[in-house]
Each structure stands twice: as structure tokens, then as C-alpha cells.
Amino acid sequence: MTGKRLLRTATVVTGGLALASSLTACGGSSSAADSDGGEKVVTVYSADGLKSEKGDGWYDKVFADFTKKTGIEVKYVEGGSGEMVQRAVREKTNTQADVLITLPPFIQQADGKGLLQSYEPQGSEKVNGADKAADGKWTSVVNNYFGFVYNKKELAEAPKTWEELLDARYKGKLQYSTPGVAGDGTAVLIKSMHDFGGKEPAMEYLKKLQANNVGPSSSTSKLAPKTDKGELLVANGDVQMNFAQSKSMPNLGIWFPAKEGGKPTSFALPYAAGLVDKAPHTENGKKLLDFLLSEEAQQTVSGVGGGFPARTDVKPTDANAIELTKLMTGVEIFEPNWADIDKNLTGYVDAWKSATGS
């Protein structure tokens, strides 16, 4: 496979290589004694977007650096945000994951389901209050923003408004990932409710948009390659993932829809990490969280991962950081009411299903 396509299917990898054994057999070297029963291993369940098939993503680098520094092997499981939470829920009586990393509102959902324990990683005091839990249950490790992509070859310029997407030219050429399953799909609901001024007008719009929508997708990253090839003209995504993908997908452009007459908007959609309750390797999980928020790791977020540092005192000046700042210029950033979204997510998703016939 050519290009830098970010993994979306659930995979288990260690040191960048696929594991043949299942997680139930994970153990690491029993001869390397540490505070986790002799196992030099930590298992991460994460939303997709930070790992690359080519092995040059942010996770690829920081996990390798972490293992080199500590001797602790990172075992990695990846999937949609909701999928990772549900997997952890199913395993509550036999916990496999040590660290859970997912997007809002799924990190709040994980906390609500009792999956997380309090731990404030070193460096978390440099993370904005809105980007971490007050009780230490989770903290952002990579900042990110919701966005859309378009095909720059087929479209002379990016669409500007939600209303433009109702045009017949987008019929069968537009797709967004499934709300309630994918973090970026859920973000479509959040942004549309904000831009249109509430649930009802947002559902009225999404009902109309369904005439052009290809259909459900549990994976957001699969939509970018389709857009780059021209199979789609427009799809949803997020800035970090799509920016990284655009390095090997020349036709991929990022844009932010506005309501007709309004400004383009977006909101923070950070990768938020928490220590799993009753984790089999709690101490190793703490060490990994500390490392993810270290200045060393945070300095590489933009240059390697195409994202934004979670620490406010880390300000990269690499080419990617400059380009990302330019990309976000003129975009109005709003802050969702995550408590409301967490409480009412099922109702919002049900309303979307009813409106779209999904």
C-alpha cells in the first residue's frame, strides 16, 4: 500500500509490528522485574488517527522512544472512539487495557462507566482546565480540531457552507462517519447543533443532507483516501488526522463549514488519555502517561503527528506548526457543553437515526 494511510481497523501492534498473539496472552518479559508483577509491558486502547501504516506517526515515535527509555513494551489496540470504550466495558471483569485514549465525549463516557482511575500525569498542570478532568480521571495528550475534507482537484475551492452540500452535485459524493460510533461522526452532530442553533434545526438539515450521503461508515480515516481519489468530493474528519494524511494525498484539502451568513466554526476534539481502573500494569501506565505529556514528546506533536501540543508551554516552530496555525486562522472556536453531550448522547444519536432513517 502506498501513501500514509492511518490505521482505522482494530489492530494490536508492538514496537510498530503486528502481534500474532492475542491480548489475553500478553505478558512481556517476566525476567525484567518492575512494580507490575515483573511485566515490562503496557497496553494502550486508543482511538485511531495518531498511528501510521508507514510507521512514521506520532504514536510510532513516542512509543519507540518510551520503550528505549524505560524498557517497557507498548502493546496497542486501535479502533473507533466508541468501539474502544465498549471493548473496555466488556472486559471490566478481566481488565486488559492500562491506558485508554479517546475523543470527547467518549472519554467522559468512559469515566461515567467507571473505567478510569484518577492520575494526574507529570506535566498535566500545563494543560488547560477545559482539556482535562478536574478529578484527574483524564487529560488531553494531543490537541485537535474537528473539520471536513474536500477534493482539491475536482473542486476549484472548498465549499463554504453547510447549505452548499445540499446541491445535487454532491449526491453520492459526500459521506460522514457514523455518530455514536466514530468520534468524528459524533462531532458532525455537535457542530451542526451548534451552527444551526439546536437539535431540531440540526436534524432537519441532516435529514435533507441524507439525500446526498453515501451511507454509514464506522471509520473516519477511510473517507480521506476516497476523497483524495475523487470517489468522494466531501467528507468529515479532523485536522490532525487529515493534515497528516494530506502529506501523501495531494488532492486532500481541509475546510470548516459555516451556516449560511455565518463564520466557519470548529471545536477542540483532543485525544484524551486516562489510566484504566484495575489496570493490570498500573505503574507502567502512569509512566507512559507521564512520557506522553513530557516536553520531549509534546515538542513532536506537530512536526511528526500534525497535531497541536496539549501543553500550553510547548510551542513548536516547525513548518507543520506554522501551517496548522495558518489553517485555523479565521475559524471561530466554540466550546461544547460536554456534560450535556455525555448525558444526552444516546438521545441525540437516536434523533439522528430517526431523521436520517439510518
Side-chain angles (χ1 to χ4, degrees), residues 218-241:
S218 61
S219 167
T220 310
S221 74
K222 290 180 180 177
L223 305 183
K226 291 181 180 180
T227 305
D228 180 63
K229 293 173 185 175
E231 295 174 26
L232 298 173
L233 292 177
V234 171
N236 70 316
D238 62 67
V239 173
Q240 176 276 322
M241 177 179 67

Side-chain angles (χ1 to χ4, degrees), residues 36 95-99 117 275-283 285:
D36 280 316
T95 308
Q96 301 293 318
D98 301 302
V99 173
Q117 57 175 301
L275 187 65
V276 177
D277 188 44
K278 299 181 178 64
H281 312 103
T282 294
E283 294 307 312

Side-chain angles (χ1 to χ4, degrees), residues 72-282:
I72 298 170
E73 175 189 21
V74 180
K75 296 190 176 182
Y76 179 71
V77 181
E78 180 179 275
S81 292
E83 178 188 358
M84 289 297 92
V85 173
Q86 289 308 311
R87 178 166 180 164
V89 169
R90 292 194 300 270
E91 295 172 351
K92 280 187 77 171
T93 57
N94 182 27
T95 308
Q96 301 293 318
D98 301 302
V99 173
L100 177 67
I101 305 176
T102 187
L103 307 180
F106 296 98
I107 193 68
Q108 290 91 345
Q109 186 183 86
D111 186 17
K113 293 181 180 295
L115 294 177
L116 307 176
Q117 57 175 301
S118 293
Y119 179 66
E120 297 181 1
Q122 295 174 25
S124 62
E125 72 279 1
K126 302 295 186 180
V127 176
N128 275 329
D131 297 328
K132 61 186 176 184
D135 61 0
K137 292 291 184 66
W138 58 267
T139 185
S140 299
V141 292
V142 172
N143 274 344
N144 190 18
Y145 295 92
F146 178 58
F148 276 66
V149 291
Y150 74 104
N151 182 290
K152 295 192 292 186
K153 184 178 179 181
E154 299 294 331
L155 300 175
E157 60 179 9
K160 290 182 173 59
T161 67
W162 287 103
E163 287 82 359
E164 282 184 59
L165 301 182
L166 299 177
D167 190 277
R169 74 181 301 186
Y170 295 105
K171 186 173 179 63
K173 290 285 189 174
L174 176 151
Q175 191 173 18
Y176 60 90
S177 51
T178 308
V181 175
D184 292 325
T186 305
V188 172
L189 290 187
I190 295 170
K191 177 171 159 58
S192 61
M193 286 191 294
H194 171 270
D195 289 0
F196 286 95
K199 182 178 76 171
E200 297 308 322
M203 298 309 156
E204 288 177 18
Y205 169 79
L206 293 172
K207 181 178 181 179
K208 296 175 185 175
L209 185 66
Q210 194 65 12
N212 289 342
N213 188 16
V214 171
S217 173
S218 61
S219 167
T220 310
S221 74
K222 290 180 180 177
L223 305 183
K226 291 181 180 180
T227 305
D228 180 63
K229 293 173 185 175
E231 295 174 26
L232 298 173
L233 292 177
V234 171
N236 70 316
D238 62 67
V239 173
Q240 176 276 322
M241 177 179 67
N242 296 144
F243 185 83
Q245 290 172 315
S246 70
K247 297 302 182 181
S248 61
M249 298 181 189
N251 299 320
L252 201 66
I254 300 172
W255 68 291
F256 305 90
K259 186 179 184 298
E260 202 165 59
K263 295 181 179 179
T265 68
S266 184
F267 62 95
L269 204 58
Y271 291 88
L275 187 65
V276 177
D277 188 44
K278 299 181 178 64
H281 312 103
T282 294

Side-chain angles (χ1 to χ4, degrees), residues 285-299:
K286 290 178 179 179
K287 291 174 185 176
L288 179 60
L289 289 171
D290 289 345
F291 189 77
L292 294 178
L293 274 179
S294 68
E295 288 190 55
E296 174 187 348
Q298 289 288 300
Q299 282 286 357

